Amino acid sequence: MEKQPILATGRLLLRPFDLADARAVQRLCGDYAVAATTLLPHPYPDGLAEAWIASFHEGVERGDAAAFAVTLAGEGSLIGGVRLRIDPAHARGELGFWVAKHCWGRGYATEAVRAVIEYGFSVLGLHRVHAMHFSRNPASGRVMEKCGMIREGRFREHIRKWGVYEDVDLWGVLREPAGRPGTYVLSPL
Ligand SMILES: CC(C)(COP(=O)(O)OP(=O)(O)OC[C@H]1O[C@@H](n2cnc3c(N)ncnc32)[C@H](O)[C@@H]1OP(=O)(O)O)[C@@H](O)C(=O)NCCC(=O)NCCS
C-alpha cells in the first residue's frame, strides 16, 4: 500500500484502497447501473469487496497492479475507483474504472482517469495504457476520449455478460511526447 502515493486533482484525492472501504464499495458497486456495464455481479455478494481490495494490495506488492479509491477532496467520501492491471513485460496497463451513480455527469471519471494515466506513464514508466468498454456504454468511451485515448477497434461479441454476447470497443494511448492523437503529453512537473 505504501508503494502508492495519493494523487491530488482539482476536486479529488485518489488514495490506495483500504479494507475499511469494503462496505462503501459493496453499496456503490451494488447499484444495478454500475454492474450493468462492468463485469461485476449483481446483486453484489458479501465478501467480494474485501477480496477485491485484498487482491489490489497483493497486485501492488507484485508490481502488476495500481488501484486508487476516488474520493472527494473536501469531505473524503468514496465515489469511485480506478485501477491499472499492469503487464510489466510489455510496459502496458489496462484501465478499469467506475463512479457512483449519484456522481455521474460531473467530470469525475475523466478527472480521475487522467490522473491515473499520468501516474502510469510518469511514475510507473508504462509505454501504453489501454481499456475496453461495452459498445453500448458510450459514456465510458467518451471518458477515454477526453483522456487522450483513441478508439482502436471493436471486438465483436467478445464478452458474455449475463448470458448475452456483447461487443466491446478498445481504446489506447501511447506515451510519446509527440502530441499526435492517441499519445499523451506529460504535464510539466
Ligand atoms: C462510465 C462512467 C465511469 C462515467 O463517469 P462520469 O463521472 O459520469 O464521467 P464524466 O462525467 O467524466 O464524463 C462522461 C461523459 O460521457 C458523456 N455521456 C454520458 N452519457 C452518454 C451517452 N449515452 N452517450 C454519449 N456520451 C455520454 C457525458 O456527456 C460526458 O461527456 P462530456 O463531458 O463531453 O459531456 C460512469 O457512468 C460509470 O461508472 N458507469 C458504470 C461503470 C462503467 O461503465 N465503468 C466503465 C467500464 S469500462
Side-chain angles (χ1 to χ4, degrees), residues 27-180:
R27 181 167 47 83
L28 300 174
C29 290
D31 192 322
Y32 179 85
V34 174
T37 52
T38 59
L39 298 182
L40 290 171
H42 186 79
Y44 197 99
D46 289 343
L48 179 60
E50 287 83 353
W52 187 69
I53 291 167
S55 76
F56 284 148
H57 292 171
E58 291 161 16
V60 170
E61 281 301 315
R62 283 194 308 266
D64 60 15
F68 292 94
V70 179
T71 67
L72 294 178
E75 52 188 89
S77 56
L78 180 78
I79 62 151
V82 183
R83 61 115 176 104
L84 278 171
R85 205 157 29 204
I86 297 162
D87 185 335
H90 302 283
R92 70 177 180 231
E94 182 179 10
L95 271 172
F97 52 88
W98 59 273
V99 165
K101 185 165 183 222
H102 66 278
C103 292
W104 287 6
R106 300 184 205 168
Y108 288 142
T110 304
E111 195 168 317
V113 169
R114 284 182 78 96
V116 173
I117 292 175
E118 173 113 17
Y119 174 75
F121 286 145
S122 63
V123 178
L124 301 179
L126 297 181
H127 174 68
R128 168 176 163 80
V129 171
H130 62 112
M132 60 169 78
H133 65 83
F134 287 120
S135 304
R136 62 175 165 80
N137 182 19
S140 181
R142 179 72 185 126
V143 169
M144 295 174 196
E145 185 178 22
K146 288 193 289 179
C147 290
M149 303 175 82
I150 58 169
R151 188 174 163 280
E152 297 177 340
R154 175 167 293 181
F155 283 168
R156 294 171 306 148
E157 303 194 1
H158 185 63
I159 290 182
R160 182 157 53 185
K161 169 73 178 177
W162 294 341
V164 177
Y165 292 106
E166 297 226 28
D167 294 352
V168 295
D169 286 9
L170 314 175
W171 292 72
V173 57
L174 304 179
R175 182 191 171 167
E176 286 179 23
R180 65 183 164 87

